[in-house]
Amino acid sequence: MTATVSPNNLTFTPLSPDLRLKDILKTLPKECFQKDMRKAWTSVLTNILMVGLGYVSIAIAPWFLLPIAWIFTGTALTGFFVIAHDCGHRSFAKQRWVNDWVGHLFMLPLLYPFHSWRLLHNKHHDYTNKMDVDNAWQPFRPELYASLPKTIQLAYQGMRGRLWWLASIVHWAIMHFDPSRVDAKDQNKIRLSVAVVIGFAAIAFPVLFVTLGVSGFIKFWLMPWLVYHFWMSTFTLVHHTAPDIAFQEPEQWNAAKAQLTGTVHCDYPMWVERLCHHINVHIPHHLSTSIPSYNLRAAHQSLRENWGPYLYECRFSWPLMKAITDQCHLYHPTECYQSFQAYKRQTLS
């Protein structure tokens, strides 16, 4: 039976330690891996139309409807990121130069350096939920947390708690403008992408300030950008975090287990799913990044039929986010996570 229960009482059927990723991938239909340029470019055109519609709604909406316009536009801009995400995985087009050009262009409004994100994100895929190696939402070890200055501890508490929706901004600012975070052979690619982003901002922001003023900058760029980061923070947190999904010690880590059972399929409202190109159908994407976003649902249906007992599925809701932000704080070797409250009780005892 596929796991559709709450994240607090999910149990997994044990996987064979000899299971390999290719054993799982062999069960997926070959059609799931095929690129369809009509579908790819249709998603591009549709997404541009939705973002344009969003900005028109911001321009004409009375003040009391602006939050709705910001939410719609920011969610549509998240779709821009997902298209660039396909480009980063080379699952958008067959030609690398097309992937690079489209990826850069669609990340520009979000101020994301394409190559920087691509290279760092690929490390996450290579080492999903591998403790001390994965670079996405890895929980701090208690001893590391204890060694940090109080201000950093408080910031970490916020990012792991009710301020989770700001975590993507922190990750963007710290991780994606530093070429030293990748191998020397790739650092010039990051410098190129950073230069492209800075060049765009150097033109677009002054134009916004001159033509629309500070209020226009906030209204047309900052608020949709914050909505985008809300979704980025939420999507990426939920993709791999639940009270009973463990990060593995390096010596215990198994790629097939991590990608199949350490990745969460979460159902969001359909308008979010469509604007964001079904990126939250996330388990097949982690099994193979070569599956285009428009084939993820077909791939997931195949996984349900062949690997149903191993799939972790849930629905986006406040109880889900409350469970994650109340419990999933610090690494624990046997209980997956230790909450800040439990850690405090332990240190005081």
Side-chain angles (χ1 to χ4, degrees):
M1 179 178 68
T2 303
T4 55
V5 293
S6 106
N8 294 306
N9 57 11
L10 179 70
T11 57
F12 291 121
T13 303
L15 281 170
S16 167
D18 298 324
L19 182 70
R20 298 165 297 177
L21 274 175
K22 65 180 182 180
D23 298 325
I24 304 172
L25 293 175
K26 286 179 181 177
T27 68
L28 294 176
K30 292 181 180 179
E31 293 78 12
C32 294
F33 302 91
Q34 294 176 355
K35 297 181 180 71
D36 184 325
M37 297 317 298
R38 180 185 62 82
K39 290 181 180 179
W41 287 108
T42 297
S43 68
V44 166
L45 295 175
T46 302
N47 208 155
I48 291 173
L49 177 63
M50 291 299 101
V51 169
L53 180 63
Y55 282 120
V56 169
S57 69
I58 292 173
I60 66 175
W63 66 267
F64 55 88
L65 291 180
L66 274 176
I68 296 174
W70 288 330
I71 291 170
F72 179 87
T73 307
T75 308
L77 285 169
T78 309
F80 271 20
F81 184 91
V82 177
I83 289 172
H85 173 271
D86 271 17
C87 293
H89 288 304
R90 311 310 192 193
S91 59
F92 178 82
K94 295 179 181 179
Q95 301 87 355
R96 178 166 295 188
W97 70 268
V98 175
N99 287 310
D100 286 348
W101 271 92
V102 174
H104 275 94
L105 288 172
F106 274 71
M107 282 195 174
L108 276 183
L110 310 170
L111 299 188
Y112 250 93
F114 173 71
H115 282 310
S116 180
W117 169 83
R118 177 178 68 83
L119 293 164
L120 292 171
H121 184 66
N122 282 339
K123 184 176 181 180
H124 161 63
H125 274 273
D126 290 340
Y127 303 105
T128 299
N129 286 24
K130 189 173 186 178
M131 198 61 190
D132 302 324
V133 184
D134 191 359
N135 57 11
W137 287 101
Q138 180 184 151
F140 284 1
R141 293 182 185 271
E143 54 269 27
L144 171 61
Y145 175 77
S147 70
L148 296 172
K150 189 65 176 179
T151 52
I152 304 299
Q153 288 185 355
L154 289 172
Y156 180 75
Q157 290 173 22
M159 299 304 101
R160 281 283 174 179
R162 296 296 191 262
L163 298 179
W164 87 88
W165 48 276
L166 292 174
S168 174
I169 299 176
V170 176
H171 191 269
W172 163 79
I174 293 176
M175 299 286 289
H176 293 90
F177 294 85
D178 182 3
S180 68
R181 292 187 177 275
V182 303
D183 295 337
K185 64 182 178 66
D186 292 319
Q187 289 180 5
N188 282 337
K189 294 178 182 177
I190 289 188
R191 293 187 183 98
L192 170 65
S193 292
V194 169
V196 169
V197 165
I198 292 174
F200 172 82
I203 296 171
F205 284 2
V207 169
L208 270 176
F209 279 114
V210 169
T211 58
L212 299 173
V214 174
S215 62
F217 173 80
I218 294 171
K219 181 178 177 180
F220 284 94
W221 185 79
L222 181 61
M223 296 308 295
W225 188 75
L226 290 175
V227 172
Y228 154 72
H229 274 289
F230 168 85
W231 287 124
M232 277 293 291
S233 299
T234 302
F235 290 171
T236 54
L237 175 63
V238 174
H239 281 165
H240 301 284
T241 311
D244 45 11
I245 289 183
F247 271 69
Q248 300 288 321
E249 292 287 357
E251 62 273 14
Q252 301 170 338
W253 186 79
N254 175 275
K257 179 180 179 181
Q259 308 294 19
L260 183 65
T261 69
T263 307
V264 176
H265 171 97
C266 185
D267 288 317
Y268 290 77
M270 187 50 63
W271 68 273
V272 176
E273 299 276 11
R274 291 191 180 279
L275 285 174
C276 298
H277 307 290
H278 308 284
I279 192 57
N280 294 295
V281 185
H282 206 61
I283 300 173
H285 172 64
H286 257 268
L287 293 170
S288 175
T289 58
S290 64
I291 300 175
S293 57
Y294 45 80
N295 289 337
L296 289 173
R297 289 203 175 272
H300 187 74
Q301 183 56 40
S302 175
L303 290 174
R304 278 178 170 167
E305 294 168 1
N306 293 289
W307 302 92
Y310 305 101
L311 305 186
Y312 195 131
E313 297 184 319
C314 60
R315 183 171 295 278
F316 178 65
S317 64
W318 171 242
L320 171 70
M321 300 311 299
K322 187 175 186 299
I324 292 173
T325 56
D326 281 351
Q327 302 175 52
C328 301
H329 299 154
L330 299 168
Y331 172 73
H332 194 284
T334 59
E335 298 178 10
C336 301
Y337 286 96
Q338 182 181 42
S339 70
F340 293 125
Q341 291 78 9
Y343 169 79
K344 186 175 181 180
R345 289 195 298 268
Q346 177 182 309
T347 56
L348 292 176
S349 62

